[in-house]
Amino acid sequence: MKKLLLATTAAALTAGMAQAEDIKIGVILGFTGPIESLTPSMADGAELAMSEVTESGMLLDGASVTPVRADSTCVDAGAATAAAERLITSDGVKGIMGADCSGVTGAILSNVALANGVVMVSPSATSPGLSDAEDNGLFFRTAPSDARQGAVMTEVLMEQGLKEVALTYTNNDYGKGLADAFQAEWEAAGGTVTISAAHEDGKADYSAEVGALAAAGGERLVVAGYVDQGGSGIVRAALDSGAFDTFHFPDGMISAQLAENFGSEIDGSTGQHPGTDSPGKELFAELVGDAFDPSSPFTPESYDAAALMMLAMQAAGSAEPGDYKDHIMDVANAPGEQIFPGELAKALEIIKGGGDVDYVGASAVELIGPGESAGNYREIVVEGGEITTAKYR
């Protein structure tokens, strides 16, 4: 009889364990390519949210969440779509945290996510064109559109008393979209763009590009490029030739690598990237500790992107993308109890009990329109070779 009871108990435990689902979420970022210095912290941020949820045991009656990484390369649409297909068909992911750069994000969305009905939440794809992309309600982003960044960039430069700038941008969806958005806002505010010129990534010498920028002139050079690629090549050539000594950097140029590359050579340069001084920022930093850099661009947004998917799953009572996609906007916005980093277990419990949550997260999440961030920005200035915070907008 005792053996029978033990066997029955073991069988019951095994059955209970079998019911606990293992949910896989893809983390597709450019681990190689022009923003590879940014992506390790971004991935760590997303995976921290997944670990927090798994450890809580509160998601869908004890489901665990396993991240599966894949390389978007940031720039190779073919490689990115192949990587996304493997995540879905081979690994069986129920959602994708990513992609990162706008071009590959759009390619994955149109060629893979739509066909397979898989949710994507990008922490960093900022092209204005993605706002109007066909997505069947599957695509969201915790980063704001560059339509907003163009306006913020204009405010920053105008407040510094500048009137004429030269502009160079990486020749892809991100660079062109941002350059166009900025130029429209800048000229509407009375500024002059002396030249708007594309540059290609991967070149060894950017002296010809810088020569054209220098000939056009300008009080500052705006570099809408990538810190690990042509953007830094442009800056180096400009410094070496004496064409420009101060720059303005949008989000793709701002990381610890920028300071490592140029130090005090670019003192006085300015820029901006998505960021906030909300309470969630400090709570996220406390949660991360020394594990990775919580202030690295798009890292808070990555934590939030993963968190939104998992909270939406709880709200839907299902990890299937077709079920939970319609709940992402609900958990991201009011009404409901505000949820900050480190409080995902609390959020899951509230939702399970039939309550509402307003996920604020690490980046003051507020999703508008087509499921994208309303937009908060950290303005930076380089002082003493270090990237410092000027203010938040």
Side-chain angles (χ1 to χ4, degrees):
M1 177 63 76
K2 185 175 182 181
K3 288 183 179 180
L4 178 60
L5 286 172
L6 288 173
T8 303
T9 302
L13 288 171
T14 303
M17 291 173 63
Q19 291 173 3
E21 188 177 358
D22 179 27
I23 301 165
K24 294 180 180 178
I25 295 179
V27 178
I28 184 162
L29 300 169
F31 296 109
T32 61
I35 62 165
E36 60 186 20
S37 64
L38 293 177
T39 53
S41 290
M42 292 169 66
D44 288 341
E47 290 167 2
L48 176 62
M50 296 181 209
S51 295
E52 187 180 337
V53 165
T54 296
E55 290 169 9
S56 78
M58 290 296 301
L59 176 62
L60 300 177
D61 298 320
S64 60
V65 183
T66 301
V68 185
R69 291 191 182 191
D71 188 5
S72 77
T73 76
C74 175
V75 290
D76 187 335
T81 54
E85 285 171 355
R86 286 193 297 272
L87 284 176
I88 295 168
T89 59
S90 297
D91 297 306
V93 301
K94 298 298 185 180
I96 291 175
M97 200 300 297
D100 44 5
C101 300
S102 296
V104 295
T105 299
I108 292 171
L109 173 60
S110 60
N111 297 322
V112 183
L114 273 175
N116 292 278
V118 173
V119 168
M120 296 175 65
V121 186
S122 172
S124 58
T126 55
S127 170
L130 289 169
S131 298
D132 302 318
E134 180 185 355
D135 67 355
N136 289 348
L138 293 164
F139 178 67
F140 304 84
R141 45 183 173 170
T142 50
S145 163
D146 279 333
R148 167 75 174 139
Q149 185 169 193
V152 171
M153 193 162 17
T154 295
E155 292 172 8
V156 172
L157 292 170
M158 283 286 173
E159 288 176 11
Q160 294 173 35
L162 302 177
K163 296 297 181 184
E164 292 188 347
V165 297
L167 169 63
T168 181
Y169 59 90
T170 184
N171 191 19
N172 63 17
D173 290 355
Y174 160 69
K176 185 67 165 62
L178 176 54
D180 288 347
F182 166 64
Q183 185 166 358
E185 293 282 348
W186 179 249
E187 292 178 346
T192 299
V193 174
T194 61
I195 183 175
S196 178
H199 63 261
E200 302 294 337
D201 287 322
K203 296 182 64 175
D205 182 6
Y206 288 93
S207 57
E209 288 84 351
V210 168
L213 295 166
E219 299 165 277
R220 190 159 299 177
L221 176 58
V222 177
V223 185
Y226 295 129
V227 67
D228 296 313
Q229 258 296 345
S232 284
I234 291 282
V235 173
R236 173 48 61 202
L239 290 170
D240 289 348
S241 66
F244 296 91
D245 58 10
T246 54
F247 307 86
H248 188 82
F249 300 117
D251 48 9
M253 287 295 298
I254 300 174
S255 77
Q257 192 63 45
L258 181 68
E260 290 181 22
N261 287 349
F262 305 108
S264 60
E265 289 183 277
I266 56 172
D267 276 3
S269 296
T270 53
Q272 74 287 313
H273 67 83
T276 177
D277 58 351
S278 71
K281 174 196 170 188
E282 298 304 323
L283 291 169
F284 182 58
E286 293 173 10
L287 184 66
V288 171
D290 297 327
F292 53 90
D293 182 2
S295 66
S296 184
F298 303 114
T299 296
E301 289 81 3
S302 298
Y303 175 91
D304 291 342
L308 285 177
M309 278 191 281
M310 294 182 289
L311 296 184
M313 290 176 186
Q314 185 82 332
S318 168
E320 293 304 316
D323 296 331
Y324 76 79
K325 68 175 184 176
D326 294 330
H327 293 270
I328 290 180
M329 295 289 283
D330 295 337
V331 299
N333 297 336
E337 184 164 349
Q338 292 192 335
I339 300 298
F340 293 94
E343 297 183 339
L344 297 184
K346 173 185 173 182
L348 293 167
E349 187 171 5
I350 291 171
I351 295 169
K352 183 177 181 179
D356 294 325
V357 299
D358 173 12
Y359 182 77
V360 178
S363 64
V365 170
E366 182 71 19
L367 297 187
I368 59 172
E372 62 193 28
S373 171
N376 301 283
Y377 283 85
R378 174 194 181 211
E379 179 184 338
I380 64 100
V381 61
V382 182
E383 295 177 336
E386 299 292 330
I387 296 172
T388 65
T389 300
K391 63 190 292 187
Y392 290 89
R393 296 176 181 266

